[in-house]
């Protein structure tokens, strides 16, 4: 699938606007990283969030950055400046955090890394905006209020774009993507653990293609 070229250092908004879904990926085996990334890219998904939740995560980011140039690999679950630094050294081109702190924001700015900061309240949105961030992750989206919360935020924060993550599935993604302040959603359903264990990369490519086809506002 032919995809438009991206700058070497995409902005957070460019990361969010590239496709309807950013896959939230938990990799236990470094050997799965490259074939998984290739399978997702083949389906039209190239923004890949590898969560820093496993010992293999940084090695997986490094492998994808080295061997799958068509992918734009990022690090998720970034909770500190040290996490951001490690992600950048491994080759990540964007990072995603479950919350927001000034220290993480400054580190990503200094590293030239696009950051999708996690927010769940109006105060957190305002804090991120004070530091120049207006493309934000709404997390955990469903437990924190879901589509109704995003609708409520659209009035006071109509200059913010969100990537809701947490509880998003193939069944409810369209409800979120229909909202004017949602650029994309994040979800783990594109990379089922059983498919990775079985090496069923065609299934993952099919799930990615279905995600790309989801309508957006």
């Amino acid at each position: 699938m032919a995809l438009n070229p991206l700058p070497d250092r995409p902005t957070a908004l460019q990361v969010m606007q590239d496709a309807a879904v950013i896959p939230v990926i938990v990799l236990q085996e470094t050997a799965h990283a490259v074939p998984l990334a290739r399978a997702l890219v083949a389906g039209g998904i190239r923004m890949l969030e590898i969560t820093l939740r496993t010992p293999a995560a940084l090695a997986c980011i490094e492998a994808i950055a080295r061997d799958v140039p068509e992918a734009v690999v990022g690090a998720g679950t970034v909770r500190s400046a040290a996490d951001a630094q490690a992600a950048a050294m491994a080759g990540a081109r964007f990072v995603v955090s479950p919350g927001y702190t000034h220290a993480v924001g400054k580190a990503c700015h200094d590293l030239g890394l696009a950051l999708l900061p996690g927010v769940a309240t109006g105060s957190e949105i305002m804090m991120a905006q004070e530091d120049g961030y207006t493309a934000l992750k709404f997390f955990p989206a469903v437990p924190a209020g879901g589509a109704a919360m995003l609708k409520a935020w659209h009035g006071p924060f109509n200059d913010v774009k969100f990537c809701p993550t947490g509880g998003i599935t193939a069944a409810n993604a369209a409800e979120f993507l229909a909202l004017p302040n949602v650029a994309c959603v994040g979800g783990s359903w594109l990379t089922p653990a059983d498919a990775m264990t079985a090496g069923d990369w065609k299934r993952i490519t099919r799930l990615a293609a279905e995600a790309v086809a989801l309508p957006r506002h």
Side-chain angles (χ1 to χ4, degrees):
M1 175 180 289
L3 296 169
N4 295 328
L6 274 176
D8 185 54
R9 292 185 179 274
T11 66
L13 189 59
Q14 285 173 324
V15 171
M16 285 167 53
Q17 290 178 332
D18 199 57
V21 183
I22 296 175
V24 179
I25 303 164
V26 180
L27 280 164
Q28 305 288 348
E29 302 287 342
T30 308
H32 290 161
V34 168
L36 174 69
R38 287 175 175 157
L40 289 166
V41 170
I45 299 284
R46 58 181 172 179
M47 299 294 170
L48 312 182
E49 178 190 339
I50 311 299
T51 61
L52 300 184
R53 300 180 192 176
T54 69
L58 289 170
C60 290
I61 290 170
E62 189 172 354
I64 294 169
R66 181 184 64 240
D67 296 337
V68 193
E70 319 92 273
V72 180
V73 65
T77 322
V78 169
R79 301 189 302 165
S80 65
D83 284 346
Q85 179 71 46
M89 290 182 66
R93 292 163 64 186
F94 69 94
V95 299
V96 185
S97 61
Y100 182 70
T101 67
H102 296 298
V104 168
K106 183 178 186 304
C108 291
H109 179 270
D110 292 348
L111 290 163
L113 276 176
L115 168 64
L116 279 65
V119 299
T121 68
S123 296
E124 291 167 356
I125 294 170
M126 290 167 63
M127 185 167 69
Q129 280 191 294
E130 282 181 358
D131 289 350
Y133 293 100
T134 57
L136 310 178
K137 173 174 116 167
F138 175 32
F139 177 82
V142 171
M149 181 68 86
L150 287 162
K151 290 174 184 175
W153 279 343
H154 185 52
F157 300 115
N158 58 20
D159 54 342
V160 176
K161 292 293 185 184
F162 294 97
C163 171
T165 305
I168 310 298
T169 66
N172 65 8
E175 176 188 6
F176 288 89
L177 291 166
L179 300 176
N181 55 348
V182 170
C184 68
V185 299
S188 59
W189 81 89
L190 273 62
T191 56
D194 61 337
M196 287 193 281
T197 299
D200 190 355
W201 309 120
K202 288 184 179 179
R203 178 182 168 198
I204 288 171
T205 295
R206 183 174 70 252
L207 289 169
E210 291 169 358
V212 167
L214 287 168
R216 286 191 279 181
H217 174 81

